[in-house]
Amino acid sequence: YRERGSAPHHLWPTRRGEAILTGGPPPRGGERQEPNPLFLGHAAALSDLYVALVTGLPAGVRLTRFDREAEAREPFTGLIGKPRAVAPDAYVEIADAEGRAVHALVELDMGTMSHRRLKTKAAGYAEYARGNAWRGRHRFCPALLFITTTEKRARSFLAAMLKELGRESLLLTCACDLARRPDRSVTSSRRGS
């Protein structure tokens, strides 16, 4: 996509190519515009995370489900009766050889979300957990994995979640600074406080 250096090249289909691939009707109107570089970087990092989960998990552990945002979105009724939703970038399910599974909602932040947006996301996930909105869809509350670009942003998000939830929450929240190296988020041992 970028013309200089060793930056990655990305391919996205034209509207006509997409219609041929999906068997849909020929498109009307012009072609779509080139994607925003920030969107492209985020989409590529999510794809990298998927590949890392498929290829990098320990022996006997496998990815059994990976839903992107549209499929991972979970609408619920908020604590005051207002319609809400959590829309993680991905929902993942990983199972061991005995079939025991762990589930996680994944937020991938490439350092572009404002602090206000991070706090809003934290409040939404807190309401999802406090209101037991996960019941009926999951056997237990999925963990929340926040992958970002710096340790400072990771700690800031964890602090926002702690403020929203308190220490007695059912929502296990983890954060790391490996957004630009999603393969390491699968294979690296990390220590935190």
Side-chain angles (χ1 to χ4, degrees):
Y1 185 66
R2 287 179 263 174
E3 295 180 11
R4 296 190 314 254
S6 61
H9 295 277
H10 301 281
L11 174 67
W12 63 93
T14 62
R15 291 178 66 222
R16 182 171 181 230
E18 186 175 8
I20 291 170
L21 181 68
T22 62
R28 296 165 66 107
E31 274 305 329
R32 61 174 59 109
Q33 295 179 353
E34 290 183 1
N36 178 307
L38 297 175
F39 168 80
L40 208 51
H42 186 267
L46 260 178
S47 295
D48 287 345
L49 178 62
Y50 172 79
V51 169
L53 288 168
V54 168
T55 62
L57 291 171
V61 179
R62 69 189 192 292
L63 178 67
T64 55
R65 185 169 166 187
F66 188 96
D67 294 337
R68 287 197 176 227
E69 184 177 356
E71 296 83 27
R73 186 175 191 277
E74 293 188 31
F76 66 96
T77 302
L79 296 174
I80 59 171
K82 180 181 171 186
R84 300 281 316 259
V86 291
D89 292 310
Y91 170 82
V92 299
E93 181 180 290
I94 298 169
D96 66 12
E98 287 81 40
R100 295 176 297 216
V102 293
H103 311 258
L105 307 170
V106 179
E107 282 291 340
L108 180 63
D109 168 45
M110 299 304 291
T112 58
M113 267 194 262
S114 69
H115 288 288
R116 172 184 264 175
R117 180 75 180 128
L118 291 176
K119 288 179 182 178
T120 300
K121 284 222 175 239
Y125 282 110
E127 189 169 354
Y128 171 81
R130 275 194 318 268
N132 294 317
W134 50 271
R135 291 193 190 274
R137 187 179 289 236
H138 309 287
R139 286 185 30 205
F140 51 87
C141 188
L144 174 59
L145 174 58
F146 182 72
I147 307 172
T148 190
T149 54
T150 65
E151 184 176 340
K152 182 179 178 182
R153 286 180 74 81
R155 289 184 183 276
S156 177
F157 185 77
L158 288 175
M161 288 302 297
L162 182 60
K163 182 179 178 184
E164 291 291 336
L165 285 170
R167 294 199 180 272
E168 301 301 317
S169 171
L170 292 175
L171 180 60
L172 172 65
T173 305
C174 308
C176 69
D177 60 354
L178 296 170
R180 291 191 176 92
R181 292 292 318 269
D183 58 315
R184 290 191 56 215
S185 66
V186 173
T187 60
S188 293
S189 173
R190 304 287 286 183
R191 296 183 77 197
S193 53

PDB file of all heavy atoms in Angstrom, residues 15-34:
ATOM      1  N   ARG A  15     -14.804  -3.597  -6.518  1.00  0.00           N
ATOM      2  CA  ARG A  15     -16.216  -3.968  -6.360  1.00  0.00           C
ATOM      3  C   ARG A  15     -16.598  -5.056  -7.367  1.00  0.00           C
ATOM      4  O   ARG A  15     -17.335  -5.979  -7.046  1.00  0.00           O
ATOM      5  CB  ARG A  15     -17.102  -2.732  -6.521  1.00  0.00           C
ATOM      6  CG  ARG A  15     -16.926  -1.750  -5.362  1.00  0.00           C
ATOM      7  CD  ARG A  15     -17.759  -0.499  -5.505  1.00  0.00           C
ATOM      8  NE  ARG A  15     -19.170  -0.843  -5.419  1.00  0.00           N
ATOM      9  CZ  ARG A  15     -20.107  -0.334  -6.210  1.00  0.00           C
ATOM     10  NH1 ARG A  15     -19.799   0.549  -7.125  1.00  0.00           N
ATOM     11  NH2 ARG A  15     -21.355  -0.697  -6.085  1.00  0.00           N
ATOM     12  N   ARG A  16     -16.067  -4.952  -8.569  1.00  0.00           N
ATOM     13  CA  ARG A  16     -16.358  -5.966  -9.584  1.00  0.00           C
ATOM     14  C   ARG A  16     -15.749  -7.311  -9.189  1.00  0.00           C
ATOM     15  O   ARG A  16     -16.397  -8.352  -9.311  1.00  0.00           O
ATOM     16  CB  ARG A  16     -15.818  -5.516 -10.938  1.00  0.00           C
ATOM     17  CG  ARG A  16     -16.137  -6.491 -12.038  1.00  0.00           C
ATOM     18  CD  ARG A  16     -15.786  -5.917 -13.396  1.00  0.00           C
ATOM     19  NE  ARG A  16     -16.150  -6.890 -14.404  1.00  0.00           N
ATOM     20  CZ  ARG A  16     -15.344  -7.289 -15.365  1.00  0.00           C
ATOM     21  NH1 ARG A  16     -14.133  -6.790 -15.468  1.00  0.00           N
ATOM     22  NH2 ARG A  16     -15.751  -8.174 -16.234  1.00  0.00           N
ATOM     23  N   GLY A  17     -14.509  -7.303  -8.714  1.00  0.00           N
ATOM     24  CA  GLY A  17     -13.858  -8.530  -8.273  1.00  0.00           C
ATOM     25  C   GLY A  17     -14.616  -9.185  -7.128  1.00  0.00           C
ATOM     26  O   GLY A  17     -14.769 -10.406  -7.087  1.00  0.00           O
ATOM     27  N   GLU A  18     -15.110  -8.375  -6.197  1.00  0.00           N
ATOM     28  CA  GLU A  18     -15.884  -8.914  -5.082  1.00  0.00           C
ATOM     29  C   GLU A  18     -17.186  -9.549  -5.570  1.00  0.00           C
ATOM     30  O   GLU A  18     -17.592 -10.613  -5.097  1.00  0.00           O
ATOM     31  CB  GLU A  18     -16.186  -7.807  -4.078  1.00  0.00           C
ATOM     32  CG  GLU A  18     -16.861  -8.279  -2.829  1.00  0.00           C
ATOM     33  CD  GLU A  18     -17.030  -7.153  -1.812  1.00  0.00           C
ATOM     34  OE1 GLU A  18     -16.765  -5.987  -2.122  1.00  0.00           O
ATOM     35  OE2 GLU A  18     -17.451  -7.482  -0.698  1.00  0.00           O
ATOM     36  N   ALA A  19     -17.849  -8.920  -6.548  1.00  0.00           N
ATOM     37  CA  ALA A  19     -19.089  -9.475  -7.104  1.00  0.00           C
ATOM     38  C   ALA A  19     -18.824 -10.814  -7.786  1.00  0.00           C
ATOM     39  O   ALA A  19     -19.602 -11.765  -7.641  1.00  0.00           O
ATOM     40  CB  ALA A  19     -19.716  -8.488  -8.088  1.00  0.00           C
ATOM     41  N   ILE A  20     -17.722 -10.914  -8.504  1.00  0.00           N
ATOM     42  CA  ILE A  20     -17.378 -12.176  -9.171  1.00  0.00           C
ATOM     43  C   ILE A  20     -17.102 -13.253  -8.115  1.00  0.00           C
ATOM     44  O   ILE A  20     -17.593 -14.373  -8.218  1.00  0.00           O
ATOM     45  CB  ILE A  20     -16.157 -11.987 -10.099  1.00  0.00           C
ATOM     46  CG1 ILE A  20     -16.560 -11.107 -11.293  1.00  0.00           C
ATOM     47  CG2 ILE A  20     -15.595 -13.329 -10.553  1.00  0.00           C
ATOM     48  CD1 ILE A  20     -15.397 -10.647 -12.140  1.00  0.00           C
ATOM     49  N   LEU A  21     -16.337 -12.897  -7.090  1.00  0.00           N
ATOM     50  CA  LEU A  21     -15.983 -13.855  -6.045  1.00  0.00           C
ATOM     51  C   LEU A  21     -17.197 -14.362  -5.281  1.00  0.00           C
ATOM     52  O   LEU A  21     -17.317 -15.558  -5.000  1.00  0.00           O
ATOM     53  CB  LEU A  21     -15.002 -13.206  -5.060  1.00  0.00           C
ATOM     54  CG  LEU A  21     -14.510 -14.082  -3.930  1.00  0.00           C
ATOM     55  CD1 LEU A  21     -13.616 -15.190  -4.473  1.00  0.00           C
ATOM     56  CD2 LEU A  21     -13.757 -13.261  -2.906  1.00  0.00           C
ATOM     57  N   THR A  22     -18.138 -13.476  -4.979  1.00  0.00           N
ATOM     58  CA  THR A  22     -19.309 -13.862  -4.189  1.00  0.00           C
ATOM     59  C   THR A  22     -20.474 -14.330  -5.031  1.00  0.00           C
ATOM     60  O   THR A  22     -21.476 -14.797  -4.493  1.00  0.00           O
ATOM     61  CB  THR A  22     -19.781 -12.689  -3.309  1.00  0.00           C
ATOM     62  OG1 THR A  22     -20.169 -11.593  -4.148  1.00  0.00           O
ATOM     63  CG2 THR A  22     -18.701 -12.255  -2.335  1.00  0.00           C
ATOM     64  N   GLY A  23     -20.359 -14.192  -6.349  1.00  0.00           N
ATOM     65  CA  GLY A  23     -21.463 -14.592  -7.221  1.00  0.00           C
ATOM     66  C   GLY A  23     -22.597 -13.584  -7.212  1.00  0.00           C
ATOM     67  O   GLY A  23     -23.720 -13.901  -7.589  1.00  0.00           O
ATOM     68  N   GLY A  24     -22.298 -12.371  -6.759  1.00  0.00           N
ATOM     69  CA  GLY A  24     -23.310 -11.324  -6.690  1.00  0.00           C
ATOM     70  C   GLY A  24     -23.506 -10.628  -8.025  1.00  0.00           C
ATOM     71  O   GLY A  24     -22.782 -10.887  -8.995  1.00  0.00           O
ATOM     72  N   PRO A  25     -24.471  -9.732  -8.075  1.00  0.00           N
ATOM     73  CA  PRO A  25     -24.723  -9.000  -9.324  1.00  0.00           C
ATOM     74  C   PRO A  25     -23.585  -8.026  -9.602  1.00  0.00           C
ATOM     75  O   PRO A  25     -22.889  -7.598  -8.687  1.00  0.00           O
ATOM     76  CB  PRO A  25     -26.033  -8.255  -9.032  1.00  0.00           C
ATOM     77  CG  PRO A  25     -26.065  -8.112  -7.548  1.00  0.00           C
ATOM     78  CD  PRO A  25     -25.381  -9.324  -7.001  1.00  0.00           C
ATOM     79  N   PRO A  26     -23.411  -7.673 -10.872  1.00  0.00           N
ATOM     80  CA  PRO A  26     -22.371  -6.693 -11.210  1.00  0.00           C
ATOM     81  C   PRO A  26     -22.633  -5.383 -10.461  1.00  0.00           C
ATOM     82  O   PRO A  26     -23.786  -4.974 -10.289  1.00  0.00           O
ATOM     83  CB  PRO A  26     -22.518  -6.497 -12.718  1.00  0.00           C
ATOM     84  CG  PRO A  26     -23.326  -7.654 -13.187  1.00  0.00           C
ATOM     85  CD  PRO A  26     -24.143  -8.121 -12.036  1.00  0.00           C
ATOM     86  N   PRO A  27     -21.584  -4.738  -9.982  1.00  0.00           N
ATOM     87  CA  PRO A  27     -21.785  -3.506  -9.213  1.00  0.00           C
ATOM     88  C   PRO A  27     -22.234  -2.359 -10.106  1.00  0.00           C
ATOM     89  O   PRO A  27     -21.941  -2.324 -11.297  1.00  0.00           O
ATOM     90  CB  PRO A  27     -20.403  -3.237  -8.630  1.00  0.00           C
ATOM     91  CG  PRO A  27     -19.452  -3.884  -9.580  1.00  0.00           C
ATOM     92  CD  PRO A  27     -20.179  -5.087 -10.110  1.00  0.00           C
ATOM     93  N   ARG A  28     -22.963  -1.445  -9.505  1.00  0.00           N
ATOM     94  CA  ARG A  28     -23.369  -0.219 -10.195  1.00  0.00           C
ATOM     95  C   ARG A  28     -22.576   0.914  -9.575  1.00  0.00           C
ATOM     96  O   ARG A  28     -22.224   0.874  -8.413  1.00  0.00           O
ATOM     97  CB  ARG A  28     -24.853  -0.010 -10.027  1.00  0.00           C
ATOM     98  CG  ARG A  28     -25.659  -1.129 -10.695  1.00  0.00           C
ATOM     99  CD  ARG A  28     -27.092  -1.142 -10.251  1.00  0.00           C
ATOM    100  NE  ARG A  28     -27.861   0.010 -10.656  1.00  0.00           N
ATOM    101  CZ  ARG A  28     -28.788   0.024 -11.591  1.00  0.00           C
ATOM    102  NH1 ARG A  28     -29.066  -1.089 -12.211  1.00  0.00           N
ATOM    103  NH2 ARG A  28     -29.440   1.104 -11.886  1.00  0.00           N
ATOM    104  N   GLY A  29     -22.296   1.903 -10.343  1.00  0.00           N
ATOM    105  CA  GLY A  29     -21.531   3.033  -9.827  1.00  0.00           C
ATOM    106  C   GLY A  29     -20.036   2.797  -9.966  1.00  0.00           C
ATOM    107  O   GLY A  29     -19.591   1.828 -10.560  1.00  0.00           O
ATOM    108  N   GLY A  30     -19.286   3.680  -9.385  1.00  0.00           N
ATOM    109  CA  GLY A  30     -17.833   3.619  -9.511  1.00  0.00           C
ATOM    110  C   GLY A  30     -17.190   2.645  -8.532  1.00  0.00           C
ATOM    111  O   GLY A  30     -17.855   1.982  -7.752  1.00  0.00           O
ATOM    112  N   GLU A  31     -15.887   2.609  -8.623  1.00  0.00           N
ATOM    113  CA  GLU A  31     -15.109   1.750  -7.737  1.00  0.00           C
ATOM    114  C   GLU A  31     -15.023   2.372  -6.350  1.00  0.00           C
ATOM    115  O   GLU A  31     -15.187   3.573  -6.179  1.00  0.00           O
ATOM    116  CB  GLU A  31     -13.695   1.549  -8.285  1.00  0.00           C
ATOM    117  CG  GLU A  31     -13.578   0.423  -9.281  1.00  0.00           C
ATOM    118  CD  GLU A  31     -14.078  -0.910  -8.753  1.00  0.00           C
ATOM    119  OE1 GLU A  31     -13.988  -1.195  -7.539  1.00  0.00           O
ATOM    120  OE2 GLU A  31     -14.565  -1.697  -9.585  1.00  0.00           O
ATOM    121  N   ARG A  32     -14.749   1.529  -5.372  1.00  0.00           N
ATOM    122  CA  ARG A  32     -14.547   2.034  -4.017  1.00  0.00           C
ATOM    123  C   ARG A  32     -13.198   2.728  -3.942  1.00  0.00           C
ATOM    124  O   ARG A  32     -12.303   2.467  -4.739  1.00  0.00           O
ATOM    125  CB  ARG A  32     -14.648   0.911  -2.997  1.00  0.00           C
ATOM    126  CG  ARG A  32     -13.629  -0.191  -3.178  1.00  0.00           C
ATOM    127  CD  ARG A  32     -13.675  -1.216  -2.043  1.00  0.00           C
ATOM    128  NE  ARG A  32     -14.942  -1.859  -1.903  1.00  0.00           N
ATOM    129  CZ  ARG A  32     -15.211  -3.121  -2.192  1.00  0.00           C
ATOM    130  NH1 ARG A  32     -14.256  -3.902  -2.624  1.00  0.00           N
ATOM    131  NH2 ARG A  32     -16.390  -3.627  -2.036  1.00  0.00           N
ATOM    132  N   GLN A  33     -13.090   3.603  -2.985  1.00  0.00           N
ATOM    133  CA  GLN A  33     -11.836   4.329  -2.794  1.00  0.00           C
ATOM    134  C   GLN A  33     -10.827   3.432  -2.098  1.00  0.00           C
ATOM    135  O   GLN A  33     -11.184   2.434  -1.479  1.00  0.00           O
ATOM    136  CB  GLN A  33     -12.071   5.569  -1.947  1.00  0.00           C
ATOM    137  CG  GLN A  33     -12.959   6.588  -2.617  1.00  0.00           C
ATOM    138  CD  GLN A  33     -13.173   7.797  -1.724  1.00  0.00           C
ATOM    139  OE1 GLN A  33     -12.775   7.841  -0.577  1.00  0.00           O
ATOM    140  NE2 GLN A  33     -13.808   8.809  -2.285  1.00  0.00           N
ATOM    141  N   GLU A  34      -9.543   3.823  -2.218  1.00  0.00           N
ATOM    142  CA  GLU A  34      -8.507   3.091  -1.500  1.00  0.00           C
ATOM    143  C   GLU A  34      -8.809   3.162  -0.010  1.00  0.00           C
ATOM    144  O   GLU A  34      -9.264   4.183   0.485  1.00  0.00           O
ATOM    145  CB  GLU A  34      -7.139   3.703  -1.778  1.00  0.00           C
ATOM    146  CG  GLU A  34      -6.653   3.475  -3.185  1.00  0.00           C
ATOM    147  CD  GLU A  34      -5.250   4.028  -3.404  1.00  0.00           C
ATOM    148  OE1 GLU A  34      -4.653   4.572  -2.451  1.00  0.00           O
ATOM    149  OE2 GLU A  34      -4.765   3.906  -4.530  1.00  0.00           O
TER     150      GLU A  34
END
